[in-house]
């Protein structure tokens, strides 16, 4: 076991450390963190609407639904300004965080990626009027449409400058921001670093000077992206549609496979064992893929549509990482029940409170689990087994997929119920907790045979 751990420490830990130091990935992680307030506000709105609209409707309690129409309307407004436009918000935070990482003017960096995202969206609208019309529109009806900026030819209506709000402004745009925004940011940052800028006299106020400094780099970035979009337009498509079809959809579909879910769970556990925050290091993948899928579910649920994905970001938290990575909350319970070692029991008593809120650093570094060969096997095995059970249950349709975004620190049981609005998710979580507990118990008993004074010898 020790030789295996040493091999992992020699070959895997340096890779994880290098990944965690890549500035582009740090910016991507921080950009997702920055949109958290909007995600949480939108999640509150969807949860409230589930409580006052969806659940009462299922039971025929329409009196509650009718009396709460005012709140339902407010929640819809909040959702529109948060989850519905999360791609738009993310397009700014990504460029802003990239600029911070490279120590250039961040606001202009955010504006560059925001403009890049808007440029990539389809802006043309074409529709055919209902076939019940036997002739072309009247002059009055045609004037109404043309006054609004549309062109009418018979039953065909075309217009420019119309964005498909429901399709493109949410999580659908994440991958476009990551790719096209990265290209624009690279141009902006490179020119800023080479000082190809407009330099203002020292007497000019800093806010004005900073704005002028970014003019040339930002203009160059916009034109590079503009050329890319123009090329795609010649093939009768747009960048966002091409990225969604060629890159985003295949990756999201791949993320629904058991192998991808299992691999991500395993990597997070191994990184954590060596003291590297696995969830943070792999956040660009966790959030870039599974959070994108989750937000698509949330928006589909809000719109009354079928949920497109089964396994999403919070599924890991609900079913594999109960109380934190490794389901360490169950290790703490096992220690309090079966451990005879005062040192471990003392740590467990202090760590179990934060553990209920999925904060497990006290047990990871206080026990410690990090680099402890006794707990390596259960720390990796418990999430692998529980994620497998949960994946099977969700794939079989025994438990509903996630429909509401939740904050990671929400306690167990509550987080499962709020995330899915399905009591069966609580049963699954409790079952997985029992399984994790059973996996940890033999190793806690084995640790009883080791005297604290012998540790480290």
């Amino acid at each position: 076991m020790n030789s295996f751990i040493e091999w992992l420490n020699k070959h895997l830990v340096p890779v994880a450390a290098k990944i965690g130091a890549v500035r582009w990935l740090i910016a991507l992680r921080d950009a997702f963190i920055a949109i958290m307030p909007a995600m949480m506000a939108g999640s509150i709105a969807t949860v409230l609407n589930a409580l006052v609209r969806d659940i009462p409707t299922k039971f025929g309690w329409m009196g509650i639904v009718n009396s709460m129409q005012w709140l339902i309307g407010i929640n819809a407004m909040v959702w529109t300004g948060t989850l519905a436009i999360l791609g738009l918000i993310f397009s700014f935070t990504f460029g802003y965080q990239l600029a911070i990482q490279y120590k250039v003017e961040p606001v202009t960096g955010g504006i560059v990626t925001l403009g890049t995202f808007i440029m990539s969206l389809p802006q043309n609208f074409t529709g055919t009027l209902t076939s019940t019309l036997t002739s072309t529109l009247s002059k009055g009806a045609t004037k109404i449409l043309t006054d609004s900026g549309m062109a009418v030819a018979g039953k065909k209506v075309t217009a420019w400058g119309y964005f498909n709000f429901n399709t493109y402004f949410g999580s659908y745009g994440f991958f476009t921001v990551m790719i096209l925004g990265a290209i624009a940011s690279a141009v902006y940052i490179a020119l800023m670093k080479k000082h190809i800028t407009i330099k203002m006299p020292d007497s000019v106020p800093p806010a004005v000077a900073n704005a002028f400094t970014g003019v040339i780099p930002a203009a160059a970035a916009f034109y590079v992206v503009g050329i890319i979009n123009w090329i795609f337009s010649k093939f009768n498509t747009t960048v966002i549609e091409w990225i969604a079809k060629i890159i985003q959809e295949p990756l999201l579909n791949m993320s629904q496979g058991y192998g991808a879910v299992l691999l991500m769970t395993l990597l997070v556990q191994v990184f954590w064992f060596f003291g590297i925050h696995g969830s943070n290091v792999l956040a660009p993948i966790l959030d870039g893929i599974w959070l994108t899928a989750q937000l698509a579910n949330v928006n589909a649920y809000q719109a009354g549509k079928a949920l497109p994905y089964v396994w999403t970001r919070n599924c890991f938290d609900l079913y594999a990482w109960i109380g934190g990575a490794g389901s360490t909350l169950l290790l703490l319970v096992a220690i309090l029940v079966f451990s005879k070692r005062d040192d471990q029991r003392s740590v467990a008593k202090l760590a179990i409170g934060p553990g209920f809120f999925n904060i497990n650093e006290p047990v990871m570094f206080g026990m410690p689990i990090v680099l402890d060969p006794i707990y390596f096997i259960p720390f990796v095995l418990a999430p692998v087994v529980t994620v497998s059970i949960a994946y099977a249950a969700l794939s079989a349709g025994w438990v509903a997929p996630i429909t509401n975004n939740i904050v990671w620190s929400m306690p167990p049981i509550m987080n499962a119920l709020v995330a899915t609005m399905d009591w069966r998710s609580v049963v699954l979580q409790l079952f997985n907790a029992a399984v994790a507990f059973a996996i940890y118990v033999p190793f806690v008993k084995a640790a009883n045979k080791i005297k604290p004074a012998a540790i480290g010898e």
Side-chain angles (χ1 to χ4, degrees), residues 69-329:
Q69 283 299 315
W70 62 273
L71 180 57
I72 294 170
I74 293 172
N75 289 333
M77 295 290 184
V78 173
W79 173 81
T80 301
T82 54
L83 293 181
I85 60 166
L86 214 53
L88 186 67
I89 299 171
F90 176 69
S91 69
F92 178 83
T93 62
F94 182 48
Y96 186 92
Q97 294 295 339
L98 268 174
I100 287 178
Q101 287 298 317
Y102 285 88
K103 296 180 173 58
V104 296
E105 210 287 309
V107 174
T108 305
I111 292 172
V112 165
T113 47
L114 174 62
T116 294
F117 174 68
I118 295 295
M119 254 193 278
S120 70
L121 301 178
Q123 302 177 42
N124 295 322
F125 166 80
T126 301
T128 302
L129 299 174
T130 176
S131 59
T132 57
L133 290 175
T134 57
S135 62
T136 58
L137 288 174
S138 65
K139 291 183 178 180
T142 301
K143 186 177 185 303
I144 293 173
L145 292 174
T146 55
D147 287 347
S148 65
M150 298 183 180
V152 180
K155 295 182 181 181
K156 193 172 184 180
V157 178
T158 59
W160 180 87
Y162 287 80
F163 297 105
N164 191 326
F165 180 85
N166 289 330
T167 300
Y168 300 114
F169 278 75
S171 59
Y172 190 93
F174 280 178
F175 277 74
T176 300
V177 174
M178 294 179 207
I179 297 171
L180 206 59
I183 294 172
S185 293
V187 174
Y188 169 72
I189 292 168
L191 295 181
M192 289 289 286
K193 286 294 187 180
K194 292 181 179 179
H195 302 291
I196 304 176
T197 61
I198 298 175
K199 297 177 178 62
M200 302 297 288
D202 294 339
S203 58
V204 175
V208 177
N210 289 338
F212 273 93
T213 299
V215 168
I216 294 176
F222 281 131
Y223 268 93
V224 168
V225 173
I227 292 170
I228 294 172
N229 280 285
W230 179 81
I231 292 172
F232 273 84
S233 70
K234 296 306 171 184
F235 294 93
N236 295 318
T237 186
T238 59
V239 174
I240 192 170
E241 291 172 318
W242 185 84
I243 290 176
K245 183 178 180 180
I246 302 300
I247 300 175
Q248 180 167 324
E249 291 176 7
L251 280 176
L252 290 176
N253 290 335
M254 190 185 302
S255 76
Q256 299 304 291
Y258 172 67
V261 172
L262 184 64
L263 178 62
M264 179 55 58
T265 305
L266 185 62
L267 286 174
V268 168
Q269 296 308 126
V270 173
F271 285 177
W272 256 119
F273 181 76
F274 290 98
I276 299 171
H277 200 305
S279 303
N280 275 359
V281 170
L282 297 172
I285 300 174
L286 277 167
D287 294 342
I289 296 177
W290 281 283
L291 180 60
T292 300
Q294 181 163 302
L295 293 172
N297 270 15
V298 172
N299 287 337
Y301 178 74
Q302 184 70 13
K305 299 178 181 178
L307 303 183
Y309 302 105
V310 173
W311 192 272
T312 57
R313 174 61 183 88
N314 282 141
C315 288
F316 292 100
D317 302 318
L318 299 187
Y319 307 121
W321 301 328
I322 304 170
S327 290
T328 49
L329 178 62

Side-chain angles (χ1 to χ4, degrees), residues 418-443:
V418 172
T420 64
M421 291 296 168
D422 181 9
W423 62 270
R424 296 172 298 177
S425 67
V426 176
V427 175
L428 175 59
Q429 188 181 61
L430 291 174
F431 180 80
N432 275 5
V435 169
F437 176 79
I439 290 173
Y440 273 117
V441 165
F443 295 89

Side-chain angles (χ1 to χ4, degrees), residues 16-45:
K18 288 180 180 178
I19 292 174
V22 175
R23 286 187 283 186
W24 287 76
L25 295 180
I26 294 172
L28 185 60
R29 179 200 67 195
D30 291 347
F32 277 115
I33 293 173
I35 65 175
M36 188 67 68
M39 279 197 296
M40 289 301 101
S43 299
I44 292 171

Side-chain angles (χ1 to χ4, degrees), residues 333-400:
V333 175
I335 288 172
L336 291 176
V337 175
F338 292 103
S339 180
K340 297 178 181 178
R341 286 177 50 176
D342 291 336
D343 61 323
Q344 292 198 353
R345 290 181 63 84
S346 297
V347 173
K349 290 176 183 178
L350 293 172
I352 196 164
F356 276 108
F357 296 93
N358 304 305
I359 300 169
N360 68 344
E361 280 82 357
V363 64
M364 292 300 302
F365 300 103
M367 190 75 67
I369 294 175
V370 171
L371 295 177
D372 186 337
I374 293 178
Y375 287 122
F376 174 75
I377 292 177
F379 182 72
V380 174
L381 182 61
V384 166
V385 173
T386 53
V387 83
S388 301
I389 294 170
Y391 183 87
L394 268 71
S395 298
W398 296 341
V399 176

